[in-house]
Amino acid sequence: DPYLVCNNQIKKTVKESCYDQMNSLVLSLAGGNLSSSLKYIKEIENEYFAAKAIHGIAGAYGQNNVGKTNYNEVINICQDLSSSLQSSCLEGFLLGMIEGGKPGEEYVEGIKFCSNEFMEEGEKIRCFNNIVWNVKTTNPQKLAYVCSSLDRKYRQNCDRTQN
């Protein structure tokens, strides 16, 4: 069990970090396959820590596969998880793609991912909100450009962030 060391941590913050940062080990054990890595998540009894773990795994997977993976497949994998883990999976993948994206254009693949037809409307809203937040904090000079490229219904955080 790659998470055994995490289970034995006493401090919540250390435990959270442990579950999140075991991502490379778990992906390696799963042969780099997001779907195969889920068997390790299913063994985590605490849903909160399972969400931290899937966020980390999906993030590492996204970072390693920017523009090289089938977004429909990732969305289906995330949507097949329990409802308490779905958003952590989708958000982790998105943020991983942003982290691994081309400097100055980290948001480009994220917009493609968030626009995917397989994503439910609530997921799309959260997804685009994450992109806007990320651009605002890492590349604010691109915020107006990114916001203008989004469908009006996904610009709600654009309006809030530019005030």
Side-chain angles (χ1 to χ4, degrees):
D1 177 8
Y3 293 108
L4 185 59
V5 68
C6 302
N7 292 334
N8 294 329
Q9 299 305 311
I10 296 169
K11 284 187 169 183
K12 183 179 179 184
T13 55
V14 174
K15 207 171 205 173
E16 287 173 347
S17 296
C18 185
Y19 278 104
D20 180 63
Q21 293 302 307
M22 284 293 173
N23 53 31
S24 295
L25 173 63
V26 173
L27 270 176
S28 178
L29 291 171
N33 185 293
L34 180 60
S35 185
S36 297
S37 70
L38 298 180
K39 68 181 177 186
Y40 299 105
I41 300 297
K42 292 176 181 168
E43 296 188 22
I44 301 171
E45 293 178 14
N46 183 301
E47 287 282 316
Y48 177 80
F49 294 120
K52 294 291 182 187
I54 191 61
H55 191 277
I57 292 168
Y61 184 78
Q63 186 177 6
N64 294 333
N65 293 285
V66 177
K68 296 186 285 187
T69 192
N70 179 336
Y71 297 148
N72 297 355
E73 185 179 316
V74 171
I75 292 166
N76 285 332
I77 289 168
C78 292
Q79 288 174 340
D80 282 345
L81 294 168
S82 68
S83 59
S84 63
L85 300 178
Q86 291 173 6
S87 62
S88 292
C89 182
L90 293 168
E91 179 183 277
F93 181 76
L94 170 68
L95 296 178
M97 277 198 319
I98 290 172
E99 187 176 342
K102 181 178 175 183
E105 297 181 9
E106 298 88 349
Y107 55 87
V108 172
E109 285 299 317
I111 289 173
K112 290 178 189 175
F113 177 66
C114 295
S115 300
N116 188 287
E117 64 184 324
F118 285 91
M119 225 187 264
E120 295 174 6
E121 192 59 28
E123 293 168 338
K124 284 185 178 188
I125 290 169
R126 285 188 297 279
C127 194
F128 284 117
N129 284 345
N130 274 313
I131 290 175
V132 169
W133 175 86
N134 188 276
V135 171
K136 178 188 177 202
T137 57
T138 62
N139 202 349
Q141 64 276 17
K142 295 258 182 153
L143 185 61
Y145 171 77
V146 170
C147 286
S148 69
S149 73
L150 302 180
D151 186 299
R152 186 168 297 286
K153 64 184 170 183
Y154 303 122
R155 293 184 196 170
Q156 57 194 12
N157 272 5
C158 293
D159 298 336
R160 283 187 226 146
T161 58
Q162 292 177 332
N163 291 336

